Amino acid sequence: MNKKVILLFIGFQSFLAISQQKSINQKVEDLLKQMTLEEKIGQLNQYTGDNTVTGPLTINPNKKEEIKSGKIGSMLNVMGSTYTRQYQENAMQSRLKIPLLFGLDVIHGYKTTFPIPLAEAASWDLSAIELGARIAATEAAASGIHWTFAPMVDIGRDPRWGRVMEGAGEDTYLGSKIAFARVKGFQGKKLGDLDAVMACAKHFAAYGAAVGGRDYNSVDMSERLLWETYLPPFKAAVDAGVATFMNAFNDLNGIPATGSSYLQRDILKGKWNFKGFVVSDWGSISEMIAHGYSKDAKEAALQAITAGSDMDMESNAYRYNLEQLVKEKKVSLALIDDAVKRILYKKFELGLFDDPYRFCNLERQNQALNNPEHTKIARDMAKKSIVLLKNEKNVLPLAKETKTIAFIGPIVKPKRINHGFWAVDLKEIDSTYIVSQWEGLENKVGKNTKLLYAKGCGIESESKAGFQEAIDVAIQADVVILSIGEAWNMSGEAKSRSNIHLPGVQEDLVKELQKTGKPIVILINAGRPLIFNWIADNMPTIVYTWWLGSEAGNAIADVLFGDYNPAGKLPMTFPREEGQIPIYYNHFNTGRPSINEDKIYKSTYIDLPNSPKFPFGYGLSYTSFAYSDLKLSKQKMKSNETIEVSFTLTNTGKFVGEEVVQLYLRDKVGSVVRPILELKDFNKIELEVGESKTINFSIDNQKLSFYNEKLVFDSEIGDFDIMIGSSSTDIRLKGRFELVK
C-alpha cells in the first residue's frame, strides 16, 4: 500500500469517527428535547442492586417501579447476564425506554482473578497489566457489565492506608504508565465492542494522601504537590481516553472533592477538556453534610452539581432535591442538561439504544467465564508479580528431586484468601477454580516428593497450640516452606491499620521453626507493605507473594521451583517501623541531610535509620546482572533536543532472567527544591545466560520539566545527574549532563 493510499485510508477513518460523533451528539440532543426534568434527573441517579454491597446500603423497595418510571439511570452491583437483563427489561417499560448502565468494581478480574493491582504494579510489565485488564473486561462485559469502577490511580505513600492494595504504588511516573495501560485494557479497541467496558479513573483527587493513612480522612497539600505528584496519573487516564471519573471521599484543602469546582470544572472538564462524565463515590454527595460543608442534602446536591459531579451514587441527593433547586433557579437547566448529555452519550456509544440487551448473552457469558486461555494469562501475571526479597543461601530455586517438603502456615490450604480484597463475589460459582498454595505445590512436585502439612497457627490468633505439630513436621523435611501474612480482608477499603506488623503469633512461629536448623523459605502474603524486621534480619530466604488471585498456587510453585525466575520489583517503599511513615524514595534532601546515617544535628531519627527496610524498585532474581559502558550522546542539550542514553546489560548468572532497568534523574539546582532522584523511565529485559544487550533510553525536555512556584510546567537550565540501576538505592551507573539555552 503506497503512502497516498494510506493517507486516504487514515482520512476516511477520521471522517467516520467524526461522523459517528456528530451522529451521537445529534441523537443526544434529540432525546434531550423529549425528556421531562424528572426524567433528566433520573439519568443522574444510581442505585445499588441487591446482589452485593460495597458501601452503606440505602434500602429502596420501590427500585423496579422507579426504573420503569425513568427515575434511575444506572445501577451498580448487579452482575450476570440474567440479572442485568431483568433490570434492563424494567427500563424498557419507561416512557422513553432509556437503557440502564450497569457498573461494578471489577478491580483485578471478574471470575478469573488476577493479582491485586499493587502486586501487578510489582511486575513493571505494562503489556501484561493491560492484558489482565483486557481479560477482566471481556468476562465482565459478557456478564452484562458496561462499566468498571477502575483503575484506582491514587498515588499511595502510606502503607497504613488499606487502599494502597488497589493502586500502583508511590511513584507518579510508574503510576501514570500503569493508569494508561489499565484504561486501554478495560476499554479495548473502542467502547461499544462486546469485549469492552467503560473505565473509571478514581478517586479524583489526592485520596491517597489521607492524613495518618486513615481511610476517608482529610488531605492537606500544596498546589505544587498536587499537580506534580497526584494529578499526573489522572491526566494519563484522560490521555488514554478514559470514559468516566469518580470523585474522592476526602476533602482537599478544606473542600470535599465531590463539591470541588476546581477539580471537576476547572481542571478535569476545563483544562483537560474531559468529555466523559463524573460519578460520585458511594454516598459522597450526602457525606458533605458530615464534612460540615453542606447544611443538608439539598445544599449538598446544589454544591455537587455546580461543582461538576454528574451522577449521584447512592445518596438520593439529586433525586429528591434537584427539581426543586431548578424551580428555585438555584441550579440552571443548562447544568442539568450538560450532565445528562454526558451520560446519554456513553449509552449511545455503548450501543445500548440500538440493543439494550447486547451485553446480556448467557452463551457468551459461559464461554468467557470458562476460557482456559484466561487462566494461563492469570498465571503468567501472578508469576510476574512475585518479588524475591532475599535468597542469601541460594535455597531457591528448589530442586525438583527434593524428597520431603514441609508446607506450613495458615495460608497454605485456604482458597478464597488468595483473591485478596476487591475480588468479585460470584455467588453462583464455587471456589474450586481457585488454586490454593497447597494444590499448586501438589501440581508441581513429582511422585517421589513427599509433602507434609501443618497449619502452625492462625493469622490473627494468639494461640500457639499448633506450634509443636509444625515443629514435628519441619523436622521430618528436607526443606520447609512457611506461608504467612495478613488476612485477605486486612487490606482494602476501610482497612487502614496503625500497626502493619505481621498479625498474631506468626513471627513467633518462624522463630521456633528456625531452631530446627532446616532451610526455610518464607512466603509473605499481603495487600500492602508489611513490617517484619526479625524475619528480614534473620531468615535468608523471603518471597513476597502479595495476593495473586485464582492462579496463586500454581504461580508460587512455578517460582519456587525455578520454572519462572522472579523479576518483580517493589512499587512501594517498605518501612522499618510505622514511625517512618510516610516514607518514599523521591524525597527532598533538606538543608541538613543525614549522610551515612550521621545523626548529629541532621534530619534523622535518634532511634531509627532514615533508610527503608526494602527500597522502591527493589527485587532480586535467581541470576545476576552487570551494568556497564554508559554512554550519553551529548553532554549539553537544549530544551528542543534529546539526549540518547545507552548502556550494556549482561546476564552474569546461571539462569535465564529478566531485569527491570530503571532510569533516575536529579535536577541539581532548581527554583524550587527537587527530589534526590526521580524515576523517569524503565525497561524490562530478558537475557539468556551470558547474553548482553545494549539498552537505550531517551531524555527529552518533558522528563526534565517540573511545576515551578507559579505552577508553570517547564524545565530550567542547569546540571542533571543521571542514574541507572536495579532499584532506587542500587544505582550501577552514573553520569551528568547540562541543559542549556
Side-chain angles (χ1 to χ4, degrees), residues 556-621:
I556 290 171
D558 286 339
V559 167
L560 291 179
F561 286 90
D563 291 324
Y564 179 77
N565 187 351
K569 302 280 188 176
L570 297 179
M572 283 190 75
T573 301
F574 279 44
R576 296 174 183 272
E577 295 291 348
E578 290 89 354
Q580 289 182 303
I581 297 171
I583 183 170
Y584 46 93
Y585 83 94
N586 51 346
H587 56 81
F588 297 145
N589 209 33
T590 82
R592 293 189 176 188
S594 175
I595 300 172
N596 297 323
E597 300 298 344
D598 176 16
K599 296 181 184 295
I600 306 301
Y601 293 103
K602 301 295 184 181
S603 178
T604 185
Y605 305 99
I606 63 172
D607 59 346
L608 196 68
N610 282 0
S611 59
K613 199 65 181 180
F614 296 102
F616 173 82
Y618 173 83
L620 303 177
S621 169

Side-chain angles (χ1 to χ4, degrees), residues 185-186 298 306-307 312 334 508 551:
F186 284 128
K298 185 177 180 180
T306 302
D312 177 359
D508 291 336
E551 281 295 300

Side-chain angles (χ1 to χ4, degrees), residues 295-324:
K295 67 180 180 180
D296 53 28
K298 185 177 180 180
E299 186 172 52
L302 169 62
Q303 292 166 325
I305 194 71
T306 302
S309 293
D310 301 306
M311 184 180 286
D312 177 359
M313 180 194 291
E314 278 290 309
S315 277
N316 287 310
Y318 285 1
R319 175 188 173 213
Y320 291 124
N321 297 288
L322 279 185
E323 186 171 0
Q324 186 62 30

Side-chain angles (χ1 to χ4, degrees), residues 367-433:
Q367 289 176 347
L369 299 191
N370 295 285
N371 187 334
E373 287 302 310
H374 295 181
T375 302
K376 294 178 184 177
I377 294 168
R379 183 172 179 169
D380 184 64
M381 186 75 252
K383 291 186 296 188
K384 291 178 176 179
S385 302
I386 293 171
V387 181
L388 180 64
L389 295 181
K390 289 183 73 177
N391 193 28
E392 289 179 353
K393 296 182 179 180
N394 294 320
V395 171
L396 295 178
L398 298 176
K400 293 181 179 177
E401 302 78 31
T402 304
K403 292 184 178 180
T404 306
I405 298 173
F407 205 177
I408 298 172
I411 302 174
V412 172
K413 287 198 172 182
K415 287 177 172 285
R416 165 63 181 86
I417 195 169
N418 294 288
H419 272 181
F421 203 81
W422 277 128
V424 176
D425 184 14
L426 298 177
K427 291 182 172 63
E428 69 275 17
I429 299 176
D430 63 32
S431 63
T432 56
Y433 69 98

Side-chain angles (χ1 to χ4, degrees), residues 15 88 130 434 584:
F15 170 77
Q88 201 69 283
E130 181 176 339
I434 305 172
Y584 46 93

Side-chain angles (χ1 to χ4, degrees), residues 662 664 677 723-734:
Q662 301 158 43
Y664 296 90
L677 76 170
M723 294 158 277
I724 294 173
S726 187
S727 80
S728 59
T729 61
D730 184 9
I731 301 301
R732 309 289 185 88
L733 300 170
K734 294 182 179 181

Side-chain angles (χ1 to χ4, degrees), residues 524-548:
I524 299 181
N525 307 263
R528 68 173 97 217
L530 293 179
I531 295 172
F532 44 95
N533 289 323
W534 188 91
I535 292 173
D537 293 338
N538 294 280
M539 304 305 292
T541 312
I542 306 172
V543 183
Y544 217 79
T545 58
W546 312 99
W547 294 119
L548 295 174

Side-chain angles (χ1 to χ4, degrees), residues 284-304:
S284 68
I285 294 178
S286 62
E287 286 177 15
M288 291 197 293
I289 302 170
H291 273 285
Y293 187 71
S294 312
K295 67 180 180 180
D296 53 28
K298 185 177 180 180
E299 186 172 52
L302 169 62
Q303 292 166 325

